[in-house]
């Protein structure tokens, strides 16, 4: 084997001078990946991918295995850091126009790697099989399941059946430790081979002076070759001139992961309980913008957004180097790209902010207790749609009756049925019907759950005294004096899962 040849291509290669610290983000991401491999190998040695044993095996790793707690925490933080670094690397490449000629294909490899990293995060987060793991995956797979046509197939492919269970865990484990690593290794190899062959993208100014306007111009390749060669004239070599910076960044990454693992650690919640639907799931932070975005749309549009937004993102990322043929590279010289990037980053930051605020338990003043996520959603809907007419405690209009104590008199099922179509109960009711298409059934259910916990101002709750009536029992509207709610009077209600 020609060792010196390899050394010449890998280490002695000339690189453009004055590369920035931003240029080290790629190696930083690679370092995080190496941390994931090393810690992952140890974790996999002790982990048991079956619902009955997964949680216990993680506890075993934490309690018995030497440095097990530390390794698990490092793996967890390494994952987050890897997402950050890959994103930062992509933003760097985008901002310097380094995806343009001749690196279009390598950009595609990079995009592929980014999605594989997200895949690692998604599959890995199920493995501890605690409450968070189970319910976040439940949400994730059901979002995938809402896709038109292919949704059912995708959900089934992910879960390995109709339920999230043993088959899902086996599958996610296989994805996490076999499929994804193999694909990742292949892509990263191609990615690095191209980096070595095409060289590192130089500072943007080098490739903007006297450049043809379009990279598709037939003169562009010739121009590029000359300009790129000129940028290397200074005789700067990868070794030892550049590698120093990479080593420093890599060390910072290792130290950061260690520090986070030691100081913050990795949480392990109670074992997964598939029957506990009251658990409020919260996905990993890097899925939060998407998760929060879905919440902004009414239920009827969820599947469109759930599929449309990721699809658009994939198309935009893959199409970028082929549609954007302008030869300007500096982000500041590309107003369209600058706006696009700002909107994407700003929007994501806002969504993450909103999500973080949302998951804090809200103690509503009118109930004096933390709300479940459905009740919280119902409360927000109420403020938008109903408060103009209805008073709760001291705020709201008075066109309709005050609802401060409504939960003491009606069940969730009755409320659902009433809000859907008040005329059903009070013919000629002045309140409009809110059933579909105005609100979806899910939204009405959320509203009803919220109303059902309104039992009077905190500290002055009234005694429950139910007045549920249903049209077939009491046709002339109003509350019949003896129509106390009984279970038998409920069957007409839809979605009757009141508390
Ligand atoms: C245009 C004003 C208006 C709006 C908006 C409105 N309501 Fe009403 N609502 C009324 C009126 C008037 C009544 C009383 C007439 C009746 O009972 O049919 C009423 C009655 C009710 C009742 C029955 C109260 C009881 O004690 O029997 C409930 C529950 C209710 N509204 C819930 C809602 C919800 C939830 C919303 C929002 C989706 C809403 N309302 C929006 C005007 C409104």
């Amino acid at each position: 084997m020609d060792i010196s040849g390899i050394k010449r291509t890998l280490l002695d290669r000339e690189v453009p001078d004055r590369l920035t610290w931003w240029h080290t983000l790629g190696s930083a991401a690679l370092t995080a990946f190496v941390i994931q491999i090393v810690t992952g190998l140890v974790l996999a040695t002790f982990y048991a991918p079956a619902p009955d044993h997964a949680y216990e095996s993680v506890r075993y790793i934490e309690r018995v295995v030497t440095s097990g707690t530390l390794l698990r925490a490092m793996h967890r933080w390494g994952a987050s850091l890897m997402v950050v670094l890959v994103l930062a690397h992509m933003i760097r490449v985008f901002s310097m126009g380094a995806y343009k000629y001749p690196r279009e294909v390598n950009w595609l490899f990079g995009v592929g790697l980014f999605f594989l990293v997200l895949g690692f995060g998604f599959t890995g987060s199920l493995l501890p099989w605690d409450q968070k793991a189970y319910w976040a995956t439940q949400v994730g797979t059901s979002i995938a399941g809402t896709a038109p046509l292919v949704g059912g197939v995708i959900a089934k492919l992910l879960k390995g059946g109709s339920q999230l269970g043993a088959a899902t865990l086996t599958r996610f484990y296989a994805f996490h430790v076999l499929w994804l690593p193999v694909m990742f290794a292949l892509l990263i190899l191609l990615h690095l081979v191209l980096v070595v062959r095409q060289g590192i993208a130089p500072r943007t100014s080098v490739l903007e002076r006297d450049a043809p306007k379009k990279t598709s111009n037939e003169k562009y390749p010739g121009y590029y070759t000359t300009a790129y060669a000129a940028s290397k004239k200074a005789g700067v070599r990868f070794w030892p001139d550049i590698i120093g910076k990479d080593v420093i960044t890599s060390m910072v990454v290792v130290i950061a992961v260690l520090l986070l693992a030691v100081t913050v650690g990795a949480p392990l919640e109670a074992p997964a309980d598939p029957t506990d639907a009251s658990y409020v799931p919260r996905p990993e932070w890097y899925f939060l913008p998407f998760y929060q975005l879905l919440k902004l749309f009414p239920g009827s549009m969820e599947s469109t957004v759930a599929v449309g937004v990721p699809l658009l993102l994939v198309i935009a990322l893959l199409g970028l180097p082929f549609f954007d043929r302008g030869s300007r590279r500096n982000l500041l010289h590309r107003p369209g790209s600058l706006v696009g990037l700002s909107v994407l980053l700003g929007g994501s930051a806002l969504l993450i902010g909103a999500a973080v605020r949302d998951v804090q338990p809200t103690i509503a003043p009118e109930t004096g207790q933390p709300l479940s996520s459905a009740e919280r959603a119902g409360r927000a809907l109420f403020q938008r749609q109903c408060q103009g007419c209805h008073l709760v405690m001291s705020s709201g209009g008075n066109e309709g009756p005050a609802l401060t104590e409504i939960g003491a008199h009606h069940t969730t099922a009755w409320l659902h049925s009433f809000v859907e179509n008040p005329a059903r109960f009070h013919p000629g009711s002045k309140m409009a019907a809110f059933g579909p298409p105005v609100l979806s059934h899910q939204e009405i259910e959320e509203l009803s759950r919220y109303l059902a916990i309104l039992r009077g101002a905190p500290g002055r709750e009234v005694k429950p005294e139910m007045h549920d009536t249903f049209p077939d029992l009491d046709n002339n509207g109003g509350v019949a004096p003896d129509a106390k709610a009984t279970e038998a009077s409920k069957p007409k209600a839809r979605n009757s899962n009141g508390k």
Side-chain angles (χ1 to χ4, degrees), residues 344-355:
L344 202 65
L345 292 183
S348 303
L350 283 180
L351 286 170
I352 290 193

Side-chain angles (χ1 to χ4, degrees), residues 385-386 389-390 399-401 406 415 418-419 426 429 431 434 451:
Q385 303 271 3
C386 325
C389 291
H390 288 290
E399 221 171 298
I406 190 75
L415 290 164
F418 182 90
V419 174
H426 304 174
S429 171
M431 179 170 144
F434 281 87
L451 293 178

Side-chain angles (χ1 to χ4, degrees), residues 423-444:
R424 203 181 266 158
F425 301 86
H426 304 174
S429 171
K430 279 205 280 174
M431 179 170 144
F434 281 87
V438 183
L439 294 177
S440 69
H441 274 294
Q442 191 192 334
E443 287 167 323
I444 297 179

Side-chain angles (χ1 to χ4, degrees), residues 140-203:
T141 49
S142 60
I143 288 176
T146 61
L149 302 178
V150 289
V153 180
I154 296 180
K156 217 162 187 174
L157 190 86
L158 285 174
K159 292 195 223 172
S162 53
Q163 297 280 322
L164 206 170
T168 321
L169 188 53
T170 310
R171 215 157 257 230
F172 271 44
Y173 188 58
F175 289 146
H176 194 77
V177 302
L178 291 172
W179 292 91
L180 290 171
V182 167
M183 292 194 272
F184 198 89
L186 213 78
L187 269 188
I188 204 113
L189 190 72
L190 292 169
H191 198 63
L192 293 179
V193 164
L194 280 187
V195 168
V196 171
R197 287 189 49 180
Q198 299 179 325
I200 298 167
R203 283 167 296 123

Side-chain angles (χ1 to χ4, degrees), residues 142 236 297 372 450 458 462:
S142 60
V236 180
F297 290 90
S372 74
Y450 166 67
V462 297

